[in-house]
Amino acid sequence: MADKTMTADDVVGRLRSGMTLGIGGWGSRRKPMALVRALLRSGVCDLTVVSYGGPDVGMLCAAGRVRRLVAPFATLDTVPLEPHFRAAREAGTMEMTELDEAMFMWGLHAAANRLPFMPVRAGLGSDVMRVNPELRTVRSPYADGEEFVAVPALRLDAALVHLNRADRLGNGQYLGPDPYFDDLFCEAADEAYLSCEQLVETAELTKEAAPQTLLVGRHSVTGVVEAPNGAHFTSCAPDRGRDEAFQKLYATTPWAEFAERFLSGPDEDAYRSAVRAWHEEQR
């Protein structure tokens, strides 16, 4: 079995402009931010981003890397509406497909199961159908004859996710309260890249945690990156909480100013140093 360990820059080197890119996590929780920052250091652009949106979406939209966003929301949790996403949306700098949360989830399920669509009740009688005129409905072939929305598969060229632990083979484990559908993102993608707080030996994954915490299987993972605090500034419970002070700075600072100070360095170490320096200034 192959050792799938990579660096963040190795991962981004396999991505291409024009791809459909899924990003795991939820809002400002367990986002693969080290991989997103590596993506921002690259020239990859013109992306279709599929995400339960948080600062991953905000940063990529602000940097002009997103052609289309497919999402049910974009939030920082304690800041209800992601401000840099909002600015891009209001300026009309990217297209957007807005879906109900359940429709989004079943779109990932359809892709993971190699189905063209999934029938769901969500969306019927709502403005989701109005703002997405390309959506179609289907009727049950059985006696009930019930009508459903035919949610198209959200097929991904690549997916980025962040978990608490992983081994070198690509098995990934979450230790927090919620899986956030990261397994679906990986299964829905042609290639999936997993960053983690800590790389461990395979036997260590279930030494003190239940087998059910093994969310992502090696069969669906292309590469693994060890990235301690790689979800910063989002949370990665129970390892790390959200950096609320830094999130507030991000949410209230003009993008160009924030990017110049924190994202202009050559690598993740430069980002961490800039964040440490900022926290020292606040003391």
Side-chain angles (χ1 to χ4, degrees), residues 53-63 66 69 71 73-76 79-96 98 250-253 255:
D56 54 326
V57 163
M59 290 186 181
L60 291 171
C61 286
V66 180
L69 173 65
F73 55 74
T75 180
L76 299 179
V79 179
L81 185 59
E82 216 290 345
H84 298 296
F85 154 78
R86 178 177 183 171
R89 183 76 167 128
E90 290 178 347
T93 57
M94 50 86 177
E95 302 171 37
M96 185 169 184
E98 300 177 72
Y250 164 78
T252 57
T253 303
W255 170 251

Side-chain angles (χ1 to χ4, degrees), residues 121 124 137-148:
R121 290 190 176 89
L124 288 173
T137 59
V138 294
R139 287 200 176 276
S140 167
Y142 299 103
D144 59 275
E146 189 172 354
E147 185 180 37
F148 298 94

Side-chain angles (χ1 to χ4, degrees), residues 125-193:
S126 78
D127 278 349
V128 170
M129 304 300 290
R130 179 182 60 81
V131 300
N132 295 287
E134 69 279 8
L135 287 175
R136 298 290 181 264
T137 59
V138 294
R139 287 200 176 276
S140 167
Y142 299 103
D144 59 275
E146 189 172 354
E147 185 180 37
F148 298 94
V149 178
V151 177
L154 294 177
R155 189 69 201 161
L156 312 173
D157 294 314
L160 309 177
V161 302
H162 185 80
L163 292 170
N164 299 90
R165 303 287 182 271
D167 65 13
R168 295 177 182 276
L169 306 177
N171 297 299
Q173 177 181 52
Y174 81 104
L175 299 175
D178 201 310
Y180 304 134
F181 307 106
D182 285 356
D183 53 334
L184 290 182
F185 278 94
C186 292
E187 294 282 356
D190 293 338
E191 297 184 351
Y193 300 97

Side-chain angles (χ1 to χ4, degrees), residues 188-248:
D190 293 338
E191 297 184 351
Y193 300 97
L194 160 64
S195 61
C196 64
E197 293 292 313
Q198 185 180 359
L199 270 178
V200 298
E201 295 300 320
T202 303
E204 294 294 313
L205 291 170
T206 53
K207 188 173 182 179
E208 297 181 358
Q212 292 88 341
T213 61
L214 296 177
L215 180 65
V216 174
R218 65 178 185 266
H219 67 280
S220 64
V221 172
T222 309
V224 181
V225 178
E226 186 174 40
N229 208 15
H232 185 271
F233 51 89
T234 74
S235 62
C236 187
D239 291 315
R240 305 175 194 273
R242 184 183 299 123
D243 188 341
E244 290 285 2
F246 192 81
Q247 174 166 280
K248 182 177 180 181

